[in-house]
Amino acid sequence: MRLPENKNDWFTVAAVSVLAMCVVTFDHEALGHGSVCLALHGHILLLSSSLFRCDVRSGWIDPAGPVANVLMGTVALVCLRLVPVQRLALRVFLIFMTAFSYFWESGYLIHAMHRQYGDLYFFAEFLLGHVTIWERTIAIVIGVVLYVVTARIISNELLRVWPQRRVARSVARIAWISATVGAAVAALAYRGHGWGDFTDAVLEFGGSSFLLLLIPLRSGQIEEGRPAPVIARSRTTIVLAAIVYAVFVASLGRGIMS
């Protein structure tokens, strides 16, 4: 199976997307929540692909995951300017690392304030005591703005690579499907009780980044004489993604408990 109007190898696109999903999840749960828990001399009680528990209670642990994702997503976006066009698979990895990071946290801000539950709502309670409906509304508006800005950024980055809308959209859709299925399958390995881990994992990628199914909405400027860039089959990338994903499932997917 190949992407339309192009000879991009969809196995490699899927592999790169799964790698981005694993890294973004690690950034949020382990690097973000986990590092702050340890910095506060706590012990990690539960670390999975979407759940985290620390034996130290602190309002500063809650925002650490979102902050880590935004920070690493921004680093990925900056690095895009430094990666040559010839390193196409790496550029695509950075694009979707930014997409998954930003979509997750902007969507999560909207969801948390609407449901009055979740890391960012708990952090708001920690800072403000009581979160009023107006404060929640302002936060939701900020989340919507960030979500729209993220869609524009990712759309523009995809069109820089593939000015043809159909090709760029096909890559985005394969990335969304691969990351969502990857997150869901990993969560099925969770050895805890209930479906909370699975539901959260699917929402964090499939739910928050669903706009990848629709963007870009327009075509970019096609330069005359410019050859269409192609992601060729990369066995190295596919094998690397398989190894990283296997480790991801065996660790964060199953859940690390103490």
Side-chain angles (χ1 to χ4, degrees):
M1 178 179 177
R2 301 278 183 175
L3 297 177
E5 298 183 12
N6 201 292
K7 293 184 179 180
N8 287 315
D9 181 75
W10 81 270
F11 282 108
T12 304
V13 175
V16 168
S17 304
V18 169
L19 276 173
M21 181 275 295
C22 292
V23 172
V24 168
T25 303
F26 175 84
D27 289 343
H28 183 105
E29 303 295 348
L31 183 61
H33 293 313
S35 63
V36 174
C37 172
L38 296 177
L40 294 172
H41 306 290
H43 293 88
I44 297 173
L45 302 177
L46 170 62
L47 173 61
S48 78
S49 60
S50 65
L51 300 174
F52 182 85
R53 301 285 184 273
C54 179
D55 66 354
V56 171
R57 300 196 125 204
S58 171
W60 296 108
I61 295 176
D62 293 322
V67 168
N69 262 4
V70 171
L71 177 61
M72 297 308 292
T74 302
V75 169
L77 186 60
V78 171
C79 287
L80 264 174
R81 300 292 179 267
L82 306 176
V83 176
V85 177
Q86 294 79 5
R87 303 293 299 274
L88 190 53
L90 178 56
R91 288 182 65 85
V92 171
F93 169 78
L94 294 172
I95 288 173
F96 289 115
M97 185 174 164
T98 301
F100 295 142
S101 297
Y102 283 6
F103 277 135
W104 180 346
E105 301 313 334
S106 56
Y108 191 46
L109 177 59
I110 299 169
H111 182 74
M113 292 303 164
H114 171 66
R115 296 289 301 275
Q116 299 182 63
Y117 184 86
D119 293 339
L120 295 175
Y121 181 77
F122 297 151
F123 182 58
E125 280 192 320
F126 169 69
L127 290 180
L128 304 173
H130 172 67
V131 186
T132 68
I133 187 170
W134 294 110
E135 290 164 340
R136 285 168 50 212
T137 300
I138 291 172
I140 288 172
V141 170
I142 292 173
V144 171
V145 171
L146 291 176
Y147 197 81
V148 172
V149 169
T150 298
R152 185 177 181 84
I153 290 172
I154 301 306
S155 179
N156 288 340
E157 291 301 332
L158 287 170
L159 290 173
R160 284 179 192 272
V161 182
W162 295 284
Q164 297 164 299
R165 178 182 60 183
R166 289 184 60 190
V167 177
R169 187 180 292 175
S170 295
V171 173
R173 288 177 176 178
I174 287 176
W176 181 87
I177 292 169
S178 303
T180 302
V181 172
V185 171
L188 288 175
Y190 180 58
R191 54 186 172 143
H193 299 291
W195 288 89
D197 187 73
F198 176 82
T199 302
D200 288 348
V202 172
L203 286 175
E204 287 163 2
F205 287 92
S208 67
S209 61
F210 80 96
L211 215 56
L212 287 174
L213 296 172
L214 305 176
I215 61 174
L217 299 176
R218 59 177 178 81
S219 294
Q221 184 175 1
I222 300 176
E223 298 177 18
E224 297 245 350
R226 175 191 171 188
V230 173
I231 296 182
R233 173 70 59 90
S234 173
R235 289 183 175 82
T236 301
T237 301
I238 294 171
V239 170
L240 175 62
I243 293 172
V244 170
Y245 184 66
V247 173
F248 180 81
V249 173
S251 54
L252 294 185
R254 281 177 52 81
I256 300 170
M257 305 175 186
S258 63

